Amino acid sequence: VTGADRPIGVFDSGVGGLTVVRALVDALPGESILYFGDTARVPYGTKSPASVCRYSREAAAFLMDRGVKLLVVACNTATAHAFAMLREELPIPVVGVIEPAVRAAARMTRNRRIAVIGTPGTIASGVYDLLLRRHVPDARVYAQACPLLVPLVEEGWIGHRATAMVTAEYLQPLRDLDVDVLILGCTHYPLLTPLIADVMGQPVQLVDSGAPVAAEVRRILEARDLLRAGAPRPAHVFTVSDLPLRFRDVGNGFVGDLIDAVEHVHVDGYDRAA
Ligand code: DGL
C-alpha cells in the first residue's frame, strides 16, 4: 500500500477522538482511518505535560509503523502539550484539534467574548488563550476546566442526569459572561452537545473541532496529492490499549456502528527506532 491508499492515523486517550473520526468519515468518505484510543492510560487531562508527551510519542510511533499518511492528534490535551514536538519529529503532516477550532471560533464570534472548556491540562497550558488572542484582537477569553466530564463520557453516561448536573455546575459561571461562542476544547465534549447547549442557552454557538479539522485534513491531502479517490468503501481499523469491548459499545453509540472489531495493542514503551 503506497501513497494515497494509506490510512489516516487518528489518536486520542479514549473514545473522544471518535467525534473527529465521525467528521473525517463524513467529509472524506474515500479515506480509511486507523484509530488508536489509549484506553489503558485515559485520562490524559489530569496528567503532566511530560507524561502526555511520552504517551503521544508512543501513539504516533505505533501509527507511523502501521504506515499512516497523515496524523490527526484528536485530543486537545495531547495537542496542547505535544503538537509542536510531533510536528517536528514526524516525517508526515500532523494536524491538531486546537488551531482549527480557534479559527472557527474567530470567524463565528461577533462580540469577541469567547469561552473555552477543556481538561485541566489543556486549560492550564494556556494554549487556547494564546491562540485566540492571536486570531481575535481584543478577545475576552474565559476558560473553564471540566475534569469530571471525560470519565463520565468514557463510562457512556451521555444522557445521564448525573452528567447533566455536573455539566451545569461547570458551565454555570460562564452563563453570565455574555459570551457568544463556546469552544468544546476536548474531543469528548461533542458527545454532550445537547446537555451543553441546554445549559448555555440559544444565543451561544458551540464550536466542535470535528468539521474544521476534517476541512484542514482535506486541504493538506489535496495539496500533497494524497487524497484517496472514492470506492471501494474503505475498512477502518480501531485499536485500543485496554478494554476493547466497552470501547466498542460506547464508541458505536456515536459513530453510527462504524466500529466492528477492536484490536488490543501495546504501545507502552513503543519506539519507532526499534
Ligand atoms: N479527548 C481528550 C481531549 O480532547 C482527552 C481527555 C482526557 O483524556 O482527559 O483533551
Side-chain angles (χ1 to χ4, degrees):
V1 187
T2 54
D5 280 341
R6 289 181 292 151
I8 295 171
V10 180
F11 83 89
D12 177 43
S13 58
V15 296
L18 294 173
T19 61
V20 179
V21 168
R22 176 80 270 168
L24 287 169
V25 169
D26 286 347
L28 300 162
E31 300 294 335
S32 43
I33 312 280
L34 171 56
Y35 187 85
F36 172 65
D38 199 359
T39 48
R41 303 192 285 203
V42 68
Y44 283 5
T46 49
K47 308 267 169 31
S48 69
S51 291
V52 174
C53 280
R54 180 161 55 83
Y55 301 162
S56 301
R57 191 182 258 139
E58 289 171 357
F62 162 71
L63 293 168
M64 283 296 299
D65 249 20
R66 294 252 185 138
V68 299
K69 62 183 173 183
L70 178 149
L71 178 69
V72 178
V73 183
C75 172
N76 287 263
T77 313
T79 302
H81 297 319
F83 178 68
M85 175 193 82
L86 293 175
R87 198 165 58 169
E88 190 172 304
E89 290 180 357
L90 299 181
I92 57 169
V94 181
V95 176
V97 283
I98 294 182
E99 181 102 34
V102 164
R103 277 193 257 113
R107 277 195 305 274
M108 284 158 77
T109 186
R110 292 289 162 261
N111 67 7
R112 299 195 294 276
R113 300 172 71 88
I114 300 169
V116 54
I117 52 175
T119 66
T122 298
I123 298 305
S125 78
V127 174
Y128 270 102
D129 213 66
L130 189 83
L131 289 179
L132 280 165
R133 283 170 206 286
R134 193 175 292 164
H135 286 267
V136 187
D138 308 323
R140 300 285 294 270
V141 180
Y142 304 95
Q144 170 76 50
C146 307
L148 292 172
L149 295 186
V150 166
L152 288 164
V153 169
E154 285 290 322
E155 195 54 42
W157 282 23
I158 308 300
H160 198 287
R161 64 196 157 86
T163 309
M165 276 177 65
V166 171
T167 303
E169 186 81 22
Y170 284 136
L171 298 183
Q172 204 58 45
L174 299 175
R175 285 197 46 189
D176 302 323
L177 297 170
D178 192 29
V179 298
D180 65 352
V181 171
L182 170 66
I183 300 176
L184 307 182
C186 172
T187 52
H188 282 70
Y189 300 170
L191 293 160
L192 304 175
T193 292
L195 292 182
I196 294 170
D198 199 44
V199 177
M200 294 308 289
Q202 258 304 320
V204 180
Q205 298 190 74
L206 307 186
V207 174
D208 167 349
S209 61
V213 166
E216 171 86 354
V217 168
R218 167 181 285 281
R219 198 181 57 71
I220 293 171
L221 292 180
E222 265 168 3
R224 301 192 178 215
D225 219 7
L226 283 173
L227 203 60
R228 189 177 171 281
R233 192 186 145 73
H236 305 299
V237 176
F238 296 89
T239 65
V240 292
S241 49
D242 201 7
L243 287 179
L245 288 178
R246 195 180 61 158
F247 173 88
R248 190 180 68 173
D249 293 343
V250 176
N252 267 335
F254 51 92
V255 289
D257 290 338
L258 214 56
I259 308 169
D260 182 13
V262 179
E263 189 186 336
H264 188 182
V265 297
H266 295 278
V267 301
D268 217 2
Y270 203 97
D271 184 353
R272 194 158 174 267

